[in-house]
Amino acid sequence: HGCIIHAFSCIASIDPKDYTFSGLKNETVGRLPGKVAGQQFVIQDCENCQIYIFDHSATITIDDCVNCQIFLGPIKGSVFFRDCKDCKCVVACQQFRTRDCRKLEVFLCCATQPIIESSTGMKFGCFQYYYPELALQFKDAGLSIFNNTWSNIHDFTPVSGENNWGLLPETAAVQDYVPLPSSEELKAVRVSTDATKSIIPITRGRRQKNSDESCLTVFFAGDYTTANARKLIDEMTSKGFQLVQTKEVLMKAEDAHRVFQQSALEFIPLLEKGPVVALEFNGDGAVEQCRSTVNEVFSGTKVFVSESKATASQDVDNFYNFADMQMGM
């Protein structure tokens, strides 16, 4: 029974001070991978600080912070910013919420619809970040790298004639907002803010589409699903097509009929293995390019790809209508 008793004593000895940054000014502070390990974290009353949580956590609250730059690794539950202003952040979470905030700029990965309340001057971009431990931290936090509704903001307290939020410029580079850490301790984390390396695929989200042609591609669960999806994203984006949105979700037979229509029967047996990963690409010639790339690179793997430009936009609508209902969006 030694192990059980040991486990309890570990839980009992958690000191909240180890999971709090409070009342700091002009400091660079953080936690290395493995140091938060799924606990709650509190950040409060900090000014002109650079704060980096390079680990996964349960929930994080950020209160009364001014002019801070903050990186928050994957958060299993919610992150809540209250009474903060002039902060720049990179955040990955299940739920994102702000109240009484002014001028927050956030590179966001959020599995559900982000919510702002009594907040103004909010700007959002797509999460882009890499360090070697990050992929596993997403898994530990129960977050899918493909479920990111960063641009679909819900404003609880809209003001008529005013817009409390908008999107960061497409060209916005993370390191211009949240620079790499300068302290020796935190430099040990091998961070890259290069968009092509990002753990989270960079999506256009709600930005204006360049073309009226989109294409839906769906990969089915298996050992290489994530790698295959990433490979196709690299192939398509290198040819100038844009990744609009991605989704990882479980499908049932009746969903397959709705989404895959006449080719449903071919794909239904593949649904039992686990969730599907869907990608929407946009650009003139997207369907043709997607189909030829899939045939070339993934021969032997069953993949759904839109048949033609004529049916593709309906495919996309069918899939995302289903997925949004699934995820309660």
Side-chain angles (χ1 to χ4, degrees), residues 134-147:
L134 189 53
L136 198 56
Q137 292 173 4
F138 268 93
K139 277 205 169 59
D140 286 340
L143 300 177
S144 166
I145 61 170
F146 297 110
N147 290 338

Side-chain angles (χ1 to χ4, degrees), residues 210 234-243 282-284 289:
N210 290 354
D234 289 346
E235 294 276 338
M236 290 294 285
T237 51
S238 72
K239 293 184 170 73
F241 293 95
Q242 290 182 313
L243 180 65
N282 182 263
D284 294 345
Q289 183 58 59

Side-chain angles (χ1 to χ4, degrees), residues 280-305:
E280 178 193 347
F281 293 101
N282 182 263
D284 294 345
V287 172
E288 194 181 326
Q289 183 58 59
C290 219
R291 292 186 73 82
S292 74
T293 304
V294 165
N295 286 337
E296 233 169 85
V297 182
F298 305 108
S299 58
T301 306
K302 268 200 161 62
V303 183
F304 172 86
V305 186

Side-chain angles (χ1 to χ4, degrees), residues 1-10:
H1 293 294
C3 56
I4 295 174
I5 291 162
H6 174 70
F8 277 123
S9 65
C10 287

Side-chain angles (χ1 to χ4, degrees), residues 19 36-43 53 55-62 72-80 92-95 141:
Y19 302 92
V36 181
Q39 296 295 325
Q40 297 184 19
F41 210 94
V42 173
I43 300 171
I53 307 291
D55 206 0
H56 67 105
S57 58
T59 59
I60 297 188
T61 51
I62 302 98
L72 303 177
I75 301 157
K76 187 177 189 124
S78 63
V79 62
F80 202 176
C93 58
Q94 174 74 25
Q95 295 174 306

